[in-house]
Amino acid sequence: MTTTPAAFQRCISPECGHTYDLSQTLVACPECGDLLDIAYDWDRLSPPKTWKDIEANWAKRTNPLNFSGVWRFRSLFPFAKDEQIVTVGEGQTLLQQADEVAKFVGLNAGKLHLQYEGMNPSGSFKDNGMTAAFTHANMVGAKRAACASTGNTSASLAMYCGVTRLMKAVIFIGSGKISYGKLSQALDYGALTLQIAGDFDDAMARVKEVSKDMGIYLVNSVNPFRLEGQKSVMFRVLEALQWEPPDWIVVPGGNLGNSSAFGKAFAELKELGLISRIPRLAVINASGADTLDQLYNQHDVRWNDGHYPRHKIAAYYEKMDADHAKASTLASAIEINRPVNLHKCLRALNDCDGVVRQVSDQEILDAKSRVGSGGMGCEPASAASVAGAKVLREQGIIAPSDRVVCILTGHLLKDPNATVAYHTTDQETFNSVLGSRGVKRATFANRAVAVKNDMNDIVQAIQLYG
Ligand SMILES: *Cc1c(COP(=O)(O)O)cnc(C)c1O
Ligand SMILES: [Zn+2]
């Protein structure tokens, strides 16, 4: 008799549903090619019965696994033994009430919270997932790990490799589409960085091929273990709200790993009886990379119990290729036309009564400056969440009294170019960085004031502007 382990990999397609052992390194179901989940036979595991079981870890923070904002919730994704887990203290993030930003969005005071994932060791939410994928890579004894990246995945992978020395990082980036903050991290942390002629979608296709051929461990968000770690973003949001689910979670959509992970987290928490109500999920595309919005809102593509209309999706991609459509947005972290987790995101939208919207680069940058003026800066892609919440407020889908959590996915300093260009007094800089991408004005610019090196001038300027 063979015994199935209590944690395993399972194809998300109900028509297939094949299961695989955790010891296998897979990026797709070998049977049908669809995405894989990490699944748990909860009856044979010991998930928390109440949140008190999780809170018990707070008192034991000298154990690095309990200090980690990801692994203190490990009983909700128990795929590794404690001694196999690789942590660098990720997930020390903050849910911040942001009344100034609430005003901008059109929400009542006290109703908007920003989940600031820029406080992770590599400066983005990606560390939540990387620690989990890295742990699995460690479990299977990988020597090299690779990713294609718009920047933050590579920064995170390079960081884990640099700190732990357990693996070597190989990073694929597209040409010219990576912000300097992120590229500087990969280079400084010592990753082998391959800049291929092409965009993110090209880099993604290549890294899959190479990983397969060379047996390199792939840590892109097709990696199902990453999403297990990313569930913890929602656990920390709930923790900060004393386990009371908000009405809305608003998140930028790129490869759709976060939205997929969040949906899985809530579905599992409901199944385990830890929450009684699932928040609604809003996934926000940039207008220049709006595949999900197009498929969901224009082509009516739905999860449909796992029988999603593959022909419609395939036809959409065929047309995109025929038109030579390339994603284009200043929010480089979500500049993606073929979101690898699309199917899982459809499931999340189904489980969380979700909505999808798109926002322009203008809306993104204006929202970004409002977030920044609230003292918690973020990179452009992150601000799509706040811009999207504003749109949903204006459309009456979010009510002024709804409790809303926007996820700020990455740190302000990841992309200083966009920020400096937004606030600049120099029209040429504005035009070359922002104007060329369709941004017309810096609505909330905080411009530097030029003064002579002279006491009187300086005093006058302070009196005038301060
Ligand atoms: C990766 C990334 C995203 C996109 O997240 P997905 O899970 O791929 O949808 C958004 N913002 C930032 C800052 C990112 O690094
Ligand atoms: Zn399958």
Side-chain angles (χ1 to χ4, degrees):
M1 199 186 88
T2 55
T3 50
T4 337
F8 50 93
Q9 308 186 67
R10 183 174 61 204
C11 176
I12 70 160
S13 164
E15 285 155 22
C16 172
H18 268 75
T19 63
Y20 306 93
D21 197 83
L22 290 182
S23 63
Q24 285 186 264
T25 301
L26 302 165
V27 291
C29 173
E31 202 65 35
C32 77
D34 213 329
L35 296 163
L36 295 168
D37 264 337
I38 309 306
Y40 306 97
D41 184 353
W42 294 113
D43 292 339
R44 293 162 56 202
L45 294 158
S46 31
K49 289 193 183 58
T50 72
W51 290 114
K52 291 256 177 310
D53 295 341
I54 296 282
E55 289 172 4
N57 287 341
W58 296 349
K60 297 178 258 174
R61 282 168 65 93
T62 48
N63 175 353
L65 298 188
N66 293 332
F67 177 81
S68 165
V70 174
W71 296 104
R72 71 168 171 267
F73 298 99
R74 60 197 178 282
S75 55
L76 290 166
F77 48 99
F79 69 80
K81 297 193 185 85
D82 278 10
E83 58 276 17
Q84 296 170 318
I85 294 172
V86 182
T87 178
V88 303
E90 55 290 313
Q92 306 303 320
T93 61
L94 195 62
L95 187 73
Q96 183 100 351
Q97 186 180 313
D99 284 349
E100 276 309 303
V101 188
K103 224 182 275 171
F104 169 74
V105 168
L107 286 165
N108 295 345
K111 293 300 182 180
L112 179 69
H113 287 80
L114 302 176
Q115 173 66 12
Y116 191 59
E117 289 296 316
M119 278 165 67
N120 272 293
S122 84
S124 86
F125 80 83
K126 295 292 199 299
D127 296 347
N128 295 291
M130 199 55 68
T131 185
F134 217 80
T135 291
H136 182 246
N138 190 38
M139 286 163 69
V140 300
K143 295 280 172 280
R144 280 204 194 107
C147 68
S149 178
T150 59
N152 281 331
T153 302
S154 58
S156 185
L157 174 62
M159 188 268 291
Y160 277 92
C161 287
V163 174
T164 67
R165 303 274 144 185
L166 287 169
M167 266 161 264
K168 284 193 169 152
V170 185
I171 280 152
F172 285 64
I173 55 176
S175 291
K177 297 281 187 152
I178 184 169
S179 74
Y180 260 41
K182 303 172 191 183
L183 181 59
S184 61
Q185 286 181 287
L187 297 174
D188 216 39
Y189 303 162
L192 169 61
T193 305
L194 302 175
Q195 190 151 24
I196 70 160
D199 66 5
F200 172 80
D201 297 306
D202 299 323
M204 186 69 222
R206 285 296 177 201
V207 77
K208 276 188 182 171
E209 233 180 292
V210 172
S211 303
K212 200 167 162 213
D213 284 1
M214 298 184 67
I216 301 175
Y217 191 92
L218 190 67
V219 298
N220 268 97
S221 51
V222 280
N223 179 309
F225 293 92
R226 261 186 59 186
L227 301 204
E228 291 306 291
Q230 286 170 218
K231 293 193 304 192
S232 71
V233 179
M234 290 301 102
F235 303 152
R236 291 197 300 278
V237 165
L238 290 172
E239 182 179 60
L241 296 174
Q242 274 115 59
W243 314 115
E244 182 58 46
D247 297 305
W248 287 93
I249 301 289
V250 190
V251 63
N255 265 320
L256 307 178
N258 256 345
S259 44
S260 299
F262 298 173
K264 186 171 189 280
F266 288 123
E268 289 170 349
L269 290 177
K270 186 96 193 299
E271 184 193 338
L272 292 170
L274 285 161
I275 55 171
S276 52
R277 186 174 58 79
I278 291 180
R280 294 189 69 184
L281 180 67
V283 185
I284 313 299
N285 274 165
S287 299
D290 62 347
T291 299
L292 179 68
D293 182 49
Q294 289 294 330
L295 290 175
Y296 197 73
N297 292 320
Q298 305 302 322
H299 297 265
D300 212 29
V301 168
R302 291 293 185 278
W303 169 246
N304 194 22
D305 291 326
H307 307 286
Y308 31 86
R310 289 160 188 270
H311 60 283
K312 277 195 196 173
I313 299 169
Y316 183 83
Y317 284 153
E318 265 166 42
K319 171 136 195 341
M320 216 168 65
D321 286 345
D323 296 347
H324 301 291
K326 290 284 173 204
S328 173
T329 167
L330 278 161
S332 57
I334 53 174
E335 190 175 42
I336 293 160
N337 256 346
R338 291 175 184 269
V340 296
N341 284 300
L342 176 66
H343 299 166
K344 283 186 181 177
C345 180
L346 293 173
R347 181 178 65 183
L349 288 164
N350 178 74
D351 291 346
C352 304
D353 191 13
V355 297
V356 179
R357 288 294 180 273
Q358 58 170 279
V359 289
S360 67
D361 283 4
Q362 178 77 58
E363 291 172 298
I364 286 175
L365 287 185
D366 286 341
K368 179 176 124 29
S369 86
R370 295 300 79 203
V371 171
S373 79
M376 283 262 161
C378 64
E379 63 172 282
S382 313
S385 63
V386 173
K390 186 174 184 336
V391 167
L392 289 164
R393 242 320 280 124
E394 284 160 4
Q395 295 176 343
I397 294 164
I398 292 180
S401 57
D402 281 353
R403 192 140 73 137
V404 179
V405 173
C406 290
I407 312 302
L408 298 183
T409 45
H411 201 284
L412 172 76
L413 297 176
K414 291 281 191 175
D415 191 356
N417 282 5
T419 307
V420 172
Y422 187 85
H423 294 290
T424 189
T425 50
D426 175 26
Q427 197 61 36
E428 220 168 287
T429 305
F430 180 89
N431 286 344
S432 75
V433 182
L434 305 179
S436 63
R437 312 293 294 261
V439 177
K440 296 215 158 44
R441 58 193 179 277
T443 316
F444 305 104
N446 175 32
R447 300 209 162 84
V449 179
V451 285
K452 281 196 212 116
N453 187 11
D454 173 280
M455 257 327 258
N456 280 338
D457 269 36
I458 292 168
V459 169
Q460 233 179 30
I462 293 171
Q463 281 168 342
L464 202 59
Y465 300 104

